Amino acid sequence: MSGKETPGTGTVDTATKKVFVKTYGCQMNVYDSQRMTDALAADGYCATDVIEDADLVLLNTCHIREKAAEKVYSELGRIRQLKEERAKDGRETLIGVSGCVAQAEGREILRRAPAVDLVIGPQTYHRLPAVVKRARGGEKIVETEYAIEDKFAHLPHPEGRIVRSRGVTAFLTVQEGCDKFCTFCVVPYTRGAEVSRPVSQIVAEAERLAASGVREVTLLGQNVNAWHGEGVDGREWGLGELLFRLAEIPGIDRLRYTTSHPRDMDDALIAAHRDLDKLMPYLHLPVQAGSDRILKAMNRRHTAEEYLRLIERIRAARPDIAMSGDFIVGFPGETEEDFAETMRLVRAVGYAQAFSFKYSPRPGTPGADMADHVPEAVKGERLQRLQALLTEQQRDFARSLVGTEIDLLLEKPGREAGQLVGRSPWLQPVIVDDAAGRIGDIVKVRIARAGPNSLFADPVGEIGAPERAEATKGVYV
Ligand code: 5AD
Ligand code: SF4
């Protein structure tokens, strides 16, 4: 888009500028990276996958576990060399750090990595184009103050432009930040207080996504089920009501949301799982641990029994729902008996998918200052046992689907020629022959085989029937 006057910016670029964005961490970062790329596109930057070609390299970082900051510094060392190489050819390279490491480290990044030109925290992404412009003028910039203005309102897709289509599935942030203060977690510090996006903005963005060909939308938030806002009927809405509204948008055939906290699963949301076919039967509901003592120390504010009862209610509403969770082993004070409770809880729930981690102390969080840290070797050994059980459950779930018919949203070409990959309602990758349909179709397939990470399926019914695409659309619209 360079060489042209870009509406709204008033600048004329004579050469195409390229931005390379490397994303670490959660889906919120993936979403933010896309929005930042969109915002920069309006200033003449097009995205590139080739870092050597980039005039702007942006690392969108994650701070949730481990020595993430250290990894970022060593990556910055490599990028500095690249900057020096390019400088020999007279090409300028700006280096930016965004995301949670940017928020947590701030000016320290410029001190330790002087080649960096700009540091920008998640609260101020809407200022990115202005910040880049200043950085191009030679200024070093750190933008990590919490913005007073509404970040969401200021980072829309440019008015009047259809959002660039990135396929048939998309993320949509509806909520950001967290007030829960689990004692192991940095999110309340790096992402700030909980903020919900207004209904009108969310609906408008979902409509734009639908218009660009997106059929499946995943609502994002660090605590997505704490989302609330004033509904179109003037009443206070929760995520359940919002999902009902989004399900009315023609073209949006599948809805998902992540990540949820057990304390915020209200009746309306459970009812949405019961009544909305478009809401996929998959729920990521982290519990972290199975021992009440550890749950208390983690400040999760619920017991293991309450979590199990909640899942019973959700399953009563939507019997085919698949559960997913997050677990931390080796939180300070965790005994062998506490860990056994986690294993018991996992057996009681039966997870279709799960993510498990060794506890990693995050500076500034209460957990880091607690007594009785668990030795690394013990954490490692517990993690192995937990992961063995979770992997077995995941495999059993996948195998239980063999022989069944499912609706598959075809998303992209497979790794091998002649294949397409889609997602099952339970978020598993499913591989089919490309005769099954076109990307964007929702087709009926029969699961033939379960591999370790994906399912293999055969099309059901007449392949290539001309009415197929219309017929599948008609099911939902
Ligand atoms: N150590 C280990 N795992 C953590 N998580 C968050 N903070 C930590 C930490 N300090 C995990 C939790 C959370 C997921 C996103 O990351 O399980 O749900
Ligand atoms: Fe972190 Fe807990 Fe908030 Fe989740 S609910 S983001 S784990 S503080």
Side-chain angles (χ1 to χ4, degrees), residues 410 417-420 432-438:
L410 299 175
Q419 287 182 339
L420 288 176
V432 283
D433 191 287
D434 66 2
R438 288 165 308 186

Side-chain angles (χ1 to χ4, degrees), residues 315 319-322 350-352 391-406 424 426 428 446-451 454-455:
R315 282 190 166 143
D320 65 340
I321 202 155
Y351 286 91
T391 307
E392 187 185 310
Q393 292 191 341
Q394 188 176 336
R395 196 198 52 210
D396 288 350
F397 176 67
R399 283 186 184 162
S400 74
L401 296 172
V402 172
T404 63
E405 281 183 19
I406 65 162
S424 76
W426 307 281
Q428 301 138 299
R446 182 176 294 111
I447 306 298
R449 186 161 65 80
S454 30
L455 299 168

Side-chain angles (χ1 to χ4, degrees), residues 11 27 29 63 72 92 105 114 144 161 183 200 232-233 260 263 285 312 356 359-360 400 413 440 459 461:
T11 55
Q27 287 142 332
N29 268 9
H63 205 228
V72 170
E92 190 195 21
E105 296 271 299
T144 51
R161 273 191 10 188
T183 53
S200 56
V232 285
D233 55 6
S260 300
R263 281 184 59 106
L285 195 62
E312 260 171 39
S356 46
Y359 171 67
S360 112
S400 74

Side-chain angles (χ1 to χ4, degrees), residues 31 46 100 109 113 152 218 233 269 273 309 337 360 419 446:
Y31 175 88
C46 67
C100 295
I109 296 179
F152 292 127
T218 302
D233 55 6
L269 187 50
H273 278 289
R309 273 210 303 271
E337 177 49 30
S360 112
Q419 287 182 339
R446 182 176 294 111

Side-chain angles (χ1 to χ4, degrees), residues 143-188:
E143 275 272 358
T144 51
E145 292 298 312
Y146 280 41
I148 328 147
E149 67 269 29
D150 176 359
K151 163 189 159 175
F152 292 127
H154 286 78
L155 199 60
H157 297 288
E159 279 308 313
R161 273 191 10 188
I162 292 290
V163 45
R164 215 154 24 106
S165 175
R166 293 189 172 83
V168 295
T169 63
F171 295 126
L172 198 173
T173 293
V174 301
Q175 180 277 339
E176 199 176 341
C178 181
D179 296 337
K180 294 276 191 294
F181 290 94
C182 300
T183 53
F184 52 81
C185 186
V186 285
V187 166

Side-chain angles (χ1 to χ4, degrees), residues 64-65 184-185 286 288 326-328 357-362:
I64 197 117
R65 279 178 299 274
F184 52 81
C185 186
Q288 315 294 356
D326 289 346
F327 297 89
I328 295 176
F357 315 98
K358 286 194 272 187
Y359 171 67
S360 112
R362 313 309 294 132

